[in-house]
Amino acid sequence: MFNNEIFRQAIKSVDFLQFHPVDESKPLQISYYSCLVDAEKVNQYLLPGIQENIDRLGQLSDIKGFIPFDEVTVIADTVEVVDKLMKGYVIIQFEGDDLHYLLVNVNHASMGHRKSNETENEFSVIGPKVGFVENIEVNIHLMRQQINTPALILEQITVGALSNTKVVLAYIDGVTNPRHIETMRQRLQAIDFDVVFDSSQLTQIIADHTKTPFPLLVTTERVDRVIFAILSGQVAVLSDGSPYAITAPSTLLDFFVSAEDYYLPWILASFFRVIRIMGVIFSIIASPLYVSILTYHFEVIPESLLQPLINSRIHVPFPPVMEVIFLEITIELLREAGARLPSKIGQTLGIVGGIVIGQASVQAAFTSNILLIIVALSALASFTTPIFNMANTIRLLRFPFILLAAFWGGLGLIVGLVVLLGHLMRLKSLGMPYLVPFFPFRTGHTADSFIRLSYKHTANRSQFLKPLSKKRYTPDKESIEND
């Protein structure tokens, strides 16, 4: 008799196949999930190899010589048998032998995965366009192509009680601080979750703080961004089934750094980075400042702007805070609708809807022309951040600031900024302060912060990461005159 107790739950599924490869008179049984294996490999190579040599089989290990597969092993651990069965292995067993099982790897890893791996949410004009896909083996291959050294260590951890999702921890041996590696390893191993669908779930589970709207770990779909983070002394986490990787520990400035910054001349890259940061600040305080000034601080309005403001609001029956909230919610509704609809329809809705609703709101005296411009610019500025998670946080922060400005004017804005700064100072990413190198202040770490200096000045790794190797490369010290 065959030991089918280990397949007790599997036989209830319609996609689980269990049969004799020749006939029932031959004491051999094959078991596998049809949805996980490559049917072509099974039908053209595995079954013919067994059927043609069935009379020459004395024990399970003899099958290795008859089938053209590299990964063929005989094991006795029934727990591992079930685990491999769920990974796309074929299980072969002899009748009456409950101690030995032959495992053949014929999984169809590429089934259901998209072929294109171009970046969609972190696009850059200059530089590579290669991004991660949902297949972790492909993602590891893309990383190995860029880092051709055995020092790139990949540790596999299984996460999810029901999904048994393969998660890979990546770092550079001899560069990354062991403390960061051990901290990330412990947090991943301590996860007790049923199913892990995406890396974004892991970032929420392993984050240092859960009661914050700020993302504490960078999630990116760009291969080059992950490679740069690893080479800088950070650790990366890849999850099977997710096209995004996690890099940690992260700082606040990491969310405003674009991969394109390193492909442009440093003067242009620094200019765009400053514009990006200033745009985010403008996005947070522009609408609250409008509410604060028109509600409490008329005296700060220059005389040249006073008349246009009066003409713009003369027919608006609502207080400034109501018209600001109305427009902000309208912008959010348009953004959500555009994101959920098919791409071409979403683009049309965003453009046409924004123009029509904006113009109609002004003509109906729901809002003023000046506020419409301010809110539109704030919405645009919030999307200048390269990481989408931070853009969502920036959009959310505007609403509490608007309410503070409506209640207490300029004082409310100052209180909000102080509370926000205090909150940021308390945050940590993988045990490292979120505002480093500015809090705690670290001298000599501003070469790649608000601005990016030339490559001659960015050879050192960020010392607040405490890397084992401080130099990333040695700048060329030869002068042009010696060429």
Side-chain angles (χ1 to χ4, degrees):
M1 294 294 293
F2 292 97
N3 179 20
N4 288 323
E5 181 62 25
I6 60 174
F7 307 119
R8 176 173 50 84
Q9 292 179 310
I11 58 179
K12 299 178 182 179
S13 299
V14 68
D15 60 335
F16 179 72
L17 301 181
Q18 195 172 54
F19 59 91
H20 300 275
V22 181
D23 54 59
E24 294 186 0
S25 63
K26 304 296 182 181
L28 196 67
Q29 181 174 270
I30 291 180
S31 309
Y32 61 86
Y33 278 98
S34 61
C35 63
L36 297 178
V37 303
D38 190 334
E40 183 178 353
K41 293 180 180 178
V42 173
N43 295 326
Q44 294 187 8
Y45 303 106
L46 178 63
L47 292 181
I50 295 176
Q51 292 168 348
E52 294 172 3
N53 301 277
I54 189 68
D55 295 328
R56 300 166 57 188
L57 298 180
Q59 53 186 356
L60 282 177
S61 58
D62 295 339
I63 300 179
K64 293 183 180 181
F66 305 138
I67 55 178
F69 296 98
D70 294 330
E71 196 171 346
V72 182
T73 56
V74 177
I75 64 172
D77 186 359
T78 56
V79 176
E80 186 176 355
V81 169
V82 176
D83 180 68
K84 295 297 186 181
L85 181 68
M86 303 307 301
K87 296 293 189 298
Y89 282 68
V90 169
I91 312 300
I92 304 176
Q93 60 183 134
F94 270 125
E95 183 179 3
D97 187 356
D98 299 339
L99 299 178
H100 300 90
Y101 301 88
L102 185 72
L103 278 63
V104 185
N105 185 6
V106 288
N107 69 316
H108 203 327
S110 61
M111 180 184 293
H113 292 288
R114 56 190 170 96
K115 303 300 181 183
S116 173
N117 65 336
E118 292 188 3
T119 55
E120 297 180 2
N121 298 320
E122 297 178 66
F123 181 79
S124 65
V125 178
I126 303 175
K129 310 295 189 297
V130 180
F132 290 116
V133 296
E134 288 79 3
N135 190 333
I136 196 169
E137 300 297 336
V138 175
N139 295 339
I140 293 175
H141 169 73
L142 294 174
M143 291 179 59
R144 287 288 187 190
Q145 280 186 318
Q146 294 293 324
I147 305 181
N148 297 298
T149 172
L152 174 60
I153 307 299
L154 302 171
E155 296 183 11
Q156 180 176 327
I157 300 172
T158 302
V159 176
L162 299 180
S163 62
N164 289 318
T165 304
K166 184 193 300 184
V167 174
V168 171
L169 174 63
Y171 58 90
I172 301 292
D173 189 24
V175 173
T176 310
N177 192 297
R179 178 183 174 184
H180 302 322
I181 301 171
E182 184 60 27
T183 302
M184 181 62 80
R185 184 188 297 124
Q186 288 180 357
R187 294 189 183 182
L188 290 174
Q189 292 175 343
I191 293 177
D192 185 11
F193 211 68
D194 50 1
V195 177
V196 176
F197 292 100
D198 190 75
S199 298
S200 58
Q201 288 180 296
L202 295 178
T203 60
Q204 299 177 60
I205 298 172
I206 66 178
D208 297 61
H209 305 269
T210 57
K211 297 179 181 180
T212 177
F214 287 90
L216 301 180
L217 306 175
V218 172
T219 55
T220 177
E221 61 179 344
R222 295 187 63 95
V223 177
D224 55 349
R225 189 179 186 106
V226 173
I227 297 299
F228 181 81
I230 293 177
L231 295 176
S232 299
Q234 295 174 290
V235 296
V237 175
L238 305 175
S239 176
D240 196 15
S242 173
Y244 285 85
I246 304 170
T247 60
S250 305
T251 67
L252 181 64
L253 286 178
D254 288 340
F255 295 90
F256 301 100
V257 175
S258 171
E260 202 171 23
D261 292 348
Y262 300 97
Y263 305 132
L264 292 171
W266 71 271
I267 297 178
L268 292 176
S270 300
F271 173 74
F272 294 141
R273 188 177 295 183
V274 170
I275 289 294
R276 213 175 289 136
I277 296 173
M278 291 178 60
V280 168
I281 296 174
F282 174 83
S283 177
I284 294 175
I285 67 172
S287 299
L289 199 60
Y290 175 88
V291 173
S292 172
I293 291 175
L294 290 190
T295 306
Y296 297 99
H297 311 293
F298 295 102
E299 65 277 2
V300 303
I301 304 175
E303 293 184 4
S304 57
L305 290 178
L306 192 59
Q307 189 62 40
L309 273 173
I310 294 174
N311 293 336
S312 178
R313 282 191 45 82
I314 192 170
H315 299 295
V316 178
F318 307 112
V321 61
M322 289 188 63
E323 62 170 330
V324 168
I325 291 178
F326 168 75
L327 269 185
E328 291 285 0
I329 292 178
T330 301
I331 292 292
E332 293 303 316
L333 290 175
L334 285 172
R335 193 203 69 82
E336 281 295 316
R340 303 292 173 260
L341 289 171
S343 58
K344 297 185 181 299
I345 301 176
Q347 293 173 4
T348 304
L349 175 69
I351 297 173
V352 177
I355 295 174
V356 172
I357 293 177
Q359 185 65 26
S361 299
V362 173
Q363 292 182 352
F366 271 36
T367 184
S368 62
N369 285 317
I370 295 178
L371 177 61
L372 184 63
I373 296 173
I374 292 175
V375 171
L377 290 177
S378 298
L380 287 175
S382 67
F383 290 106
T384 58
T385 54
I387 305 298
F388 184 70
N389 291 343
M390 182 58 73
N392 292 335
T393 301
I394 298 304
R395 287 170 27 228
L396 173 65
L397 288 177
R398 289 203 295 266
F399 289 95
F401 274 88
I402 290 171
L403 296 178
L404 287 172
F407 289 131
W408 296 301
L411 178 62
L413 276 179
I414 295 175
V415 170
L417 290 173
V418 171
V419 171
L420 177 61
L421 182 60
H423 177 70
L424 291 173
M425 292 169 67
R426 292 180 61 251
L427 296 180
K428 290 185 178 181
S429 175
L430 219 63
M432 189 182 72
Y434 196 51
L435 292 183
V436 72
F438 302 104
F439 178 82
F441 183 70
R442 298 288 185 266
T443 59
H445 299 286
T446 56
D448 190 9
S449 55
F450 284 115
I451 61 174
R452 181 187 79 81
L453 298 182
S454 65
Y455 282 119
K456 290 186 177 181
H457 302 283
T458 58
N460 293 327
R461 293 185 172 91
S462 300
Q463 295 306 301
F464 52 79
L465 291 171
K466 295 181 173 57
L468 302 182
S469 176
K470 296 183 178 180
K471 286 281 186 182
R472 289 197 294 131
Y473 55 88
T474 302
D476 186 7
K477 298 181 180 180
E478 296 294 331
S479 63
I480 299 177
E481 290 79 4
N482 294 333
D483 288 346

